[in-house]
């Protein structure tokens, strides 16, 4: 176990709705990264949060947004859900400026959009 | 575009054999390289990290890095049925995100 937790485990939403996913980082880690993993693919980077600010973003539209709180936990918000947003959403915890860049994943949230 | 290519698999090996997983990457500024194991329905688990050219061994796992050839591999010795999973290679610049390959599915046959 990595100590990274995510909620909820599973979620079913309808196209056009909005969703919020939550992540608590491993103790001592101050950085949270979010990834989307479609079936049969590797994780794709969405964005990273450090010191409550976005610290890098992948090729995802603005309807994907996030927050980080003072306790380093984080939220991923997705507006105007599309069918292609169905995926496993992973958050990864790390320690900023640690040269090795190791990231540890939570169990993920499986989102299904119908 | 930053890309990671993995041997497509699926790969099947008999129990006790050596499993060899390979990965090439496109960006020469890569600094850190990782192997993650992902069981079906679970999240990726970090099993190896390597930063310098050469070999790094951890138990039954050996990671090999050749930056000149932009190539990283993972060898699993004495493969066990519990090693059956998808193996993801990833690389990073030490800053923000990791770039992942699509994974290689390994099956160890008892």
């Amino acid at each position: 176990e990595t100590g990274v937790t995510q909620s909820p485990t599973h979620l079913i939403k309808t196209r056009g709705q909005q969703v919020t996913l939550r992540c608590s980082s491993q103790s001592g880690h101050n950085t949270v990264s979010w990834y989307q993993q479609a079936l049969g693919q590797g994780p794709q980077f969405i964005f990273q949060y450090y010191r409550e600010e976005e610290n890098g973003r992948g090729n995802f539209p603005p309807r994907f947004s996030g927050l980080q709180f003072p306790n380093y936990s984080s939220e991923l918000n997705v507006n105007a859900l599309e069918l292609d947003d169905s995926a496993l959403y992973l958050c990864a915890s790390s320690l900023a400026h640690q040269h090795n860049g190791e990231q540890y994943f939570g169990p993920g949230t499986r989102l299904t959009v119908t | 575009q930053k890309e990671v290519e993995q041997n497509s698999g699926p790969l099947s090996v008999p129990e006790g054999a050596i499993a060899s997983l390979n990965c090439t990457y496109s960006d020469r500024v890569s600094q850190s390289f990782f192997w993650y194991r992902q069981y079906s329905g679970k999240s990726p688990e970090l099993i190896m990290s390597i930063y310098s050219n050469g070999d790094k061994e951890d138990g039954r796992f050996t990671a090999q890095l050749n930056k000149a050839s932009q190539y990283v591999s993972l060898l699993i010795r004495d493969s066990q049925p519990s090693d059956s999973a998808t193996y993801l290679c990833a690389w990073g610049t030490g800053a923000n995100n990791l770039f992942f390959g699509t994974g290689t599915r390994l099956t160890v046959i008892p």
Side-chain angles (χ1 to χ4, degrees), chain A:
Chain A
E1 298 294 327
T2 62
V4 181
T5 61
Q6 291 186 245
S7 63
T9 304
H10 297 88
L11 203 52
I12 300 174
K13 289 287 190 178
T14 303
R15 189 171 50 184
Q17 287 187 316
Q18 178 267 342
V19 68
T20 297
L21 310 181
R22 295 177 175 83
C23 171
S24 292
S25 62
Q26 183 180 113
S27 177
H29 283 181
N30 54 14
T31 302
V32 173
S33 304
W34 286 92
Y35 292 82
Q36 180 196 66
Q37 187 177 24
L39 199 61
Q41 302 297 314
Q44 297 293 313
F45 176 70
I46 303 175
F47 44 55
Q48 183 184 84
Y49 276 84
Y50 169 64
R51 290 187 175 178
E52 302 178 49
E53 291 193 358
E54 189 178 287
N55 184 44
R57 187 179 184 94
N59 189 27
F60 281 81
R63 60 189 185 84
F64 286 78
S65 63
L67 288 172
Q68 187 181 34
F69 301 98
N71 66 354
Y72 307 129
S73 66
S74 178
E75 287 182 354
L76 164 65
N77 299 289
V78 187
N79 294 321
L81 284 167
E82 301 176 359
L83 297 179
D84 285 349
D85 295 333
S86 296
L88 179 66
Y89 287 84
L90 298 159
C91 79
S93 164
S94 59
L95 186 59
H97 308 305
Q98 186 178 27
H99 75 282
N100 60 22
E102 291 181 350
Q103 297 187 11
Y104 298 89
F105 285 95
T109 294
R110 174 76 60 187
L111 173 64
T112 302
V113 182
T114 62

Side-chain angles (χ1 to χ4, degrees), chain B residues 44-107:
Chain B
E45 172 192 8
L46 180 65
I47 56 172
M48 286 288 283
S49 55
I50 186 167
Y51 314 104
S52 304
N53 281 326
D55 295 358
K56 178 182 178 182
E57 185 174 321
D58 184 0
R60 295 186 295 111
F61 299 97
T62 298
Q64 300 174 318
L65 174 61
N66 184 325
K67 290 189 177 182
S69 300
Q70 296 179 243
Y71 174 92
V72 60
S73 67
L74 179 70
L75 300 177
I76 306 175
R77 292 182 300 281
D78 187 25
S79 295
Q80 301 297 309
S82 59
D83 294 327
S84 298
T86 295
Y87 289 81
L88 298 159
C89 71
W91 66 265
T93 60
N96 301 340
N97 53 312
L98 298 180
F99 299 93
F100 284 85
T102 57
T104 300
R105 181 183 294 275
L106 171 68
T107 300

